[in-house]
C-alpha cells in the first residue's frame, strides 16, 4: 500500500521533478499536514504533492487507504455527518483530504459538489471555511445537505423540540399522508402516531427550523417502518425459515419494538442526538457557511442563473457521480420523499427519470441520444446488447448523461481549477464498465489534464451490495484529479 508520508522525504527519481523547490515545498506541506494530536491539519498540500509527483513519474494509479492516509478524520459519528441515513455515502476522509489542501485555492475558497448526496463534501467544505455549492436530482439529498451544513442555535432547537412534543400530546388528528405501499411498512396505529408528529413539525413557521425537524422526523419514520434497516432500498423485514434462530429472534425483537415503542419518544431521542451533532459542528467552526443549492441537475448548473459567467466559476469540484445502475437512490428514499411531501407515490418514477444512473427504461420513457461514444464503449455496448438489450440501452443512456454532466463540470471550473472525481467500475452482463476510463477520456477531450489517479478499496457495505442480477459487487474506487 502506498504511503506518501514515508516517501515524501526520499530523494526524487529523475531530473524533471527532483528540484530543491519541490522538495522544500513538500517538506513544508508535510510538516503542516501531519498532526500528532489527531486534530485536522491546516494543510494537506504536502501529501497531495507527494502523491501527484509519484504518479506523474510512473503514470500508474497509486493504491492508497484514505482511512489511514487521512488519520485525523475519525471513523464513526463525526459532527453532522450522521444526521440522516443515505445510501452509498462518500467517506469524509476523501473530501477532507482535498478540501484541506491549499494548492487547490488561489483566492476564493469555493467547493462545488454537483452530485451532493447527503452532503459529505458540503459539510467538509463548510467546516474548512469554504463556501459549499451543491446540486442533486434527489430533493431529500438537498434537504439533508442544507440542514447538515446549517449553523443552528442549539438551545433554540431544543426549545422548539419541546414545543413539538407538547403539541403532539394535544393533537387528536392529523392529515393523512400517502406513502408508497403503506400497508407493507406501517400498521394504522403507527402511521397515525407519525402523522401527528409531522403535523406538529409542519406547524413550525420558520422554514429553516422546520427543515431541521423534518429531517429528524424522516429518520424516525424510517425507524418505525417495517423496512429492513440493513438494506438501503425498502425491503420488508420478516422472519424466514432459511434464517438462523438467532437472526429470526432479532427480527422478531425489532418488529415488536416497532409496535410497542413510542414514536414521539423516538422522535425526541433523534432530535436530541441531531442537536448534539449540530453543537459539535458549531464548536468546530462557529462561522461555517451553509451549502448553497444551485441546481437539481448536474447537467445544467446554470438553472438558477448561477455559474453562467467566468466570474462565478469555481476553483474546486469534489464529487462522486452515480455509477451506472449501481444505486436506487430514489427508491431508497421513497418513504421519506412521500412523508416529507416531495413527491406523491404515483410520481416517484417521474422523479427517478431525472436521475442519472437509473435502473429502469420502459419504452415510453426511453430517451434517444444522437452521436456516438468512444469506440471502446461502443464495442462494449454491442457485447452487452447481445446478452440484454435493455441493459445495453440503460448503459448507453447513463454514459451520454454522464458525458453531459462532465462537460458541465468542465465548463464551470475556473482556469487553473481542479475536478476531483470518485468513481468505480461495475459489471453489466458480465462485461466491465470502465467508468474511470470514460471519465478520463471525456474530460481529456475537453482540455483537462489527469493530474493524479488513486485507487482506494471500499469498506462500506453501502457500495458493496449487488444491485441487480446483471451487475456486480463494486469493491474499489478510483479517485481521479483533473486540472484545467
Amino acid at each position: 500500500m502506498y504511503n506518501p508520508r514515508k516517501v515524501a522525504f526520499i530523494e526524487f527519481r529523475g531530473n524533471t521533478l527532483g528540484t530543491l523547490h519541490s522538495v522544500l515545498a513538500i517538506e513544508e506541506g508535510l510538516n503542516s499536514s501531519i498532526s500528532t494530536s489527531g486534530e485536522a491539519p491546516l494543510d494537506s498540500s504536502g501529501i497531495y504533492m507527494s502523491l501527484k509527483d509519484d504518479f506523474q513519474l510512473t503514470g500508474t494509479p497509486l493504491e492508497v487507504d484514505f482511512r489511514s492516509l487521512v488519520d485525523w478524520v475519525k471513523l464513526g459519528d463525526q459532527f453532522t455527518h450522521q444526521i440522516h441515513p443515505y445510501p452509498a455515502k462518500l467517506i469524509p476522509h476523501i473530501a477532507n483530504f482535498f478540501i484541506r489542501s491549499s494548492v487547490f485555492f488561489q483566492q476564493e475558497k469555493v467547493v462545488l459538489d454537483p452530485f451532493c448526496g447527503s452532503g459529505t463534501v458540503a459539510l467538509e467544505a463548510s467546516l474548512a471555511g469554504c463556501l459549499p455549492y451543491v446540486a442533486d436530482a434527489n430533493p431529500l439529498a438537498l434537504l439533508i445537505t442544507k440542514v447538515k451544513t446549517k449553523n443552528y442555535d442549539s438551545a433554540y432547537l431544543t426549545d422548539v423540540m419541546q414545543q413539538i412534543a407538547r403539541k403532539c400530546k394535544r393533537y387528536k388528528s392529523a392529515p393523512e399522508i400517502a406513502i408508497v405501499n403503506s400497508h407493507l411498512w406501517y400498521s394504522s396505529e403507527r402511521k397515525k402516531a407519525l402523522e401527528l408528529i409531522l403535523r406538529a413539525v409542519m406547524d413550525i413557521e420558520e422554514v429553516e427550523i422546520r427543515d431541521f425537524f423534518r429531517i429528524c422526523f424522516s429518520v424516525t419514520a424510517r425507524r418505525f417502518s417495517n423496512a429492513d434497516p440493513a438494506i438501503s432500498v425498502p425491503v420488508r423485514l420478516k422472519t424466514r425459515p432459511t434464517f438462523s434462530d438467532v437472526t429470526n429472534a432479532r427480527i422478531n425483537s425489532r418488529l415488536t419494538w416497532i409496535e410497542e415503542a413510542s414514536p414521539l419518544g423516538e422522535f425526541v431521542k433523534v432530535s436530541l442526538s441531531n442537536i448534539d451533532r449540530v453543537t459539535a459542528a458549531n464548536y468546530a467552526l462557529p462561522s461555517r457557511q451553509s451549502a448553497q443549492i444551485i441546481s437539481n441537475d448536474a447537467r445544467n448548473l446554470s438553472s438558477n442563473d448561477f455559474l453562467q459567467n467566468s466570474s462565478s466559476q469555481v476553483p474546486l469540484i469534489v464529487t462522486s457521480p452515480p455509477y451506472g445502475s449501481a444505486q436506487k437512490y430514489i427508491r431508497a428514499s421513497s418513504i421519506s420523499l412521500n412523508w416529507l411531501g416531495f413527491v406523491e407515490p404515483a410520481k416517484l418514477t417521474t422523479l427517478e427519470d431525472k436521475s442519472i444512473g437509473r435502473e429502469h427504461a420502459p419504452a415510453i420513457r426511453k430517451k434517444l441520444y444522437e452521436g456516438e461514444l468512444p469506440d471502446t464503449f461502443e464495442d462494449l455496448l454491442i457485447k452487452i446488447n447481445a446478452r440484454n438489450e435493455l441493459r445495453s440501452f440503460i448503459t448507453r443512456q447513463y454514459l451520454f448523461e454522464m458525458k453531459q454532466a462532465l462537460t458541465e463540470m468542465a465548463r464551470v471550473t475556473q482556469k487553473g481549477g481542479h475536478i476531483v472525481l470518485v468513481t468505480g467500475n461495475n459489471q453489466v452482463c458480465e462485461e466491465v464498465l470502465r467508468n474511470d476510463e470514460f471519465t478520463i477520456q471525456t474530460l481529456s477531450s475537453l482540455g483537462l489534464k489527469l493530474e493524479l489517479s488513486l485507487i482506494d478499496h471500499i469498506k462500506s457495505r453501502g457500495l458493496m451490495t449487488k444491485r441487480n442480477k446483471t451487475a456486480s459487487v463494486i469493491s474499489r474506487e478510483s479517485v481521479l484529479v483533473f486540472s484545467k
Side-chain angles (χ1 to χ4, degrees), residues 13-29:
R13 291 164 291 179
N15 296 323
T16 305
L17 296 175
T19 64
L20 178 62
H21 178 270
S22 297
V23 173
L24 290 176
I26 291 175
E27 290 181 349
E28 181 181 359

Side-chain angles (χ1 to χ4, degrees), residues 419-421 423 436 439-440 450 452-454 478-482:
I419 300 175
V420 179
L421 275 149
T423 188
D436 56 350
T439 300
I440 293 170
L450 180 62
L452 176 62
S453 177
L454 303 173
S478 292
V479 182
L480 307 171
V481 185
F482 299 87

Side-chain angles (χ1 to χ4, degrees), residues 157-442:
L157 289 176
T158 303
D159 289 342
V160 175
M161 181 201 66
Q162 293 171 346
Q163 295 173 26
I164 294 172
R166 288 194 293 269
K167 283 187 176 182
C168 286
K169 293 176 181 178
R170 295 200 309 266
Y171 290 157
K172 302 300 181 184
S173 62
E176 184 176 354
I177 306 299
I179 306 295
V180 60
N181 297 322
S182 177
H183 65 286
L184 297 177
W185 315 125
Y186 300 101
S187 66
S188 59
E189 181 183 353
R190 296 293 89 180
K191 188 167 181 287
K192 180 179 178 180
L194 290 168
E195 287 167 343
L196 292 174
I197 298 172
L198 184 60
R199 176 186 171 185
V201 169
M202 297 308 292
D203 281 347
I204 301 172
E205 294 184 359
E206 298 167 83
V207 175
E208 292 182 339
I209 302 299
R210 184 167 67 234
D211 284 344
F212 175 85
F213 288 105
R214 289 172 76 200
I215 287 298
C216 297
F217 172 82
S218 175
V219 175
T220 306
R222 176 67 191 238
R223 289 185 182 178
F224 276 90
S225 75
N226 291 323
D228 189 336
I231 302 175
S232 59
V233 297
V235 175
R236 190 170 185 180
L237 184 66
K238 57 184 179 180
T239 59
R240 299 178 186 274
T242 54
F243 291 165
S244 68
D245 291 341
V246 173
T247 298
N248 282 327
R250 186 166 60 246
I251 292 172
N252 279 324
S253 176
R254 171 75 182 177
L255 294 174
T256 299
W257 178 88
I258 289 172
E259 292 305 317
E260 295 181 354
S262 165
L264 179 56
E266 190 67 15
F267 171 78
V268 170
K269 178 181 175 181
V270 169
S271 297
L272 287 173
S273 295
N274 281 344
I275 291 171
D276 286 344
R277 293 180 175 107
V278 168
T279 302
N282 289 350
Y283 180 79
L285 188 66
S287 61
R288 62 197 178 100
Q289 301 184 76
S290 300
Q292 303 296 305
I293 299 171
I294 63 170
S295 177
N296 61 2
D297 189 349
R299 294 161 292 184
N300 181 13
L301 297 174
S302 301
S303 58
N304 292 330
D305 297 325
F306 191 82
L307 296 176
Q308 291 186 349
N309 56 68
S310 59
S311 64
S312 62
Q313 290 181 320
V314 297
L316 178 63
I317 293 176
V318 180
T319 194
S320 180
Y323 306 156
S325 303
Q327 272 290 351
K328 305 173 183 177
Y329 291 100
I330 299 303
R331 185 180 168 194
S333 308
S334 59
I335 293 176
S336 291
L337 288 168
N338 291 161
W339 271 116
L340 299 180
F342 285 122
V343 63
E344 299 172 9
K347 295 182 178 179
L348 281 166
T349 53
T350 302
L351 185 57
E352 183 185 18
D353 285 346
K354 299 178 181 178
S355 304
I356 298 176
R358 51 196 175 277
E359 286 195 309
H360 308 293
I364 59 172
R365 300 198 336 249
K366 285 188 177 181
K367 181 177 180 181
L368 299 177
Y369 291 91
E370 296 181 359
E372 295 183 351
L373 297 166
D375 291 344
T376 303
F377 293 92
E378 289 290 352
D379 292 342
L380 173 67
L381 291 170
I382 291 173
K383 294 178 182 178
I384 296 174
N385 190 70
R387 295 185 175 92
N388 189 316
E389 182 179 358
L390 176 60
R391 302 315 305 182
S392 175
F393 176 84
I394 291 174
T395 304
R396 176 179 291 277
Q397 186 167 260
Y398 165 74
L399 292 173
F400 267 104
E401 291 177 342
M402 272 307 304
K403 182 179 180 179
Q404 292 174 332
L406 291 169
T407 301
E408 185 71 344
M409 285 185 235
R411 181 185 69 80
V412 302
T413 302
Q414 69 184 30
K415 187 174 179 58
H418 291 77
I419 300 175
V420 179
L421 275 149
V422 183
T423 188
N425 300 323
N426 57 302
Q427 288 188 10
V428 182
C429 298
E430 300 181 357
E431 297 291 340
V432 178
L433 177 59
R434 291 294 303 270
N435 295 308
D436 56 350
E437 285 299 326
F438 184 78
T439 300
I440 293 170
Q441 289 186 36
T442 301

Side-chain angles (χ1 to χ4, degrees), residues 13-202:
R13 291 164 291 179
N15 296 323
T16 305
L17 296 175
T19 64
L20 178 62
H21 178 270
S22 297
V23 173
L24 290 176
I26 291 175
E27 290 181 349
E28 181 181 359
L30 276 176
N31 288 336
S32 64
S33 296
I34 301 174
S35 170
T36 57
S37 65
E39 297 179 353
L42 296 177
D43 195 342
S44 55
S45 295
I47 303 175
Y48 175 78
M49 290 173 63
S50 175
L51 290 165
K52 170 188 166 183
D53 288 344
D54 199 73
F55 170 71
Q56 292 185 352
L57 281 169
T58 65
T60 302
L62 307 174
E63 290 202 10
V64 298
D65 180 355
F66 270 97
R67 294 158 188 79
S68 300
L69 182 67
V70 189
D71 57 7
W72 54 85
V73 175
K74 303 305 178 185
L75 293 171
D77 197 348
Q78 294 286 308
F79 305 116
T80 51
H81 277 301
Q82 302 297 327
I83 204 167
H84 191 288
Y86 200 80
K89 285 185 176 183
L90 177 70
I91 62 168
H93 303 68
I94 295 177
N96 184 290
F97 176 75
F98 292 104
I99 291 167
R100 296 276 177 177
S101 181
S102 64
V103 296
F104 296 117
F105 305 100
Q106 299 302 317
Q107 295 178 338
E108 283 190 301
K109 294 190 68 177
V110 177
V111 179
L112 167 64
D113 185 353
F115 296 99
C116 71
S118 66
T120 299
V121 171
L123 178 58
E124 289 297 331
S126 179
L127 291 173
C130 302
L131 174 59
Y133 291 143
V134 298
D136 203 284
N138 190 338
L140 177 64
L142 294 175
L143 179 63
I144 296 171
T145 299
K146 176 185 173 183
V147 170
K148 181 178 285 187
T149 57
K150 176 68 178 174
N151 187 341
Y152 289 100
D153 182 331
S154 299
Y156 185 56
L157 289 176
T158 303
D159 289 342
V160 175
M161 181 201 66
Q162 293 171 346
Q163 295 173 26
I164 294 172
R166 288 194 293 269
K167 283 187 176 182
C168 286
K169 293 176 181 178
R170 295 200 309 266
Y171 290 157
K172 302 300 181 184
S173 62
E176 184 176 354
I177 306 299
I179 306 295
V180 60
N181 297 322
S182 177
H183 65 286
L184 297 177
W185 315 125
Y186 300 101
S187 66
S188 59
E189 181 183 353
R190 296 293 89 180
K191 188 167 181 287
K192 180 179 178 180
L194 290 168
E195 287 167 343
L196 292 174
I197 298 172
L198 184 60
R199 176 186 171 185
V201 169
M202 297 308 292

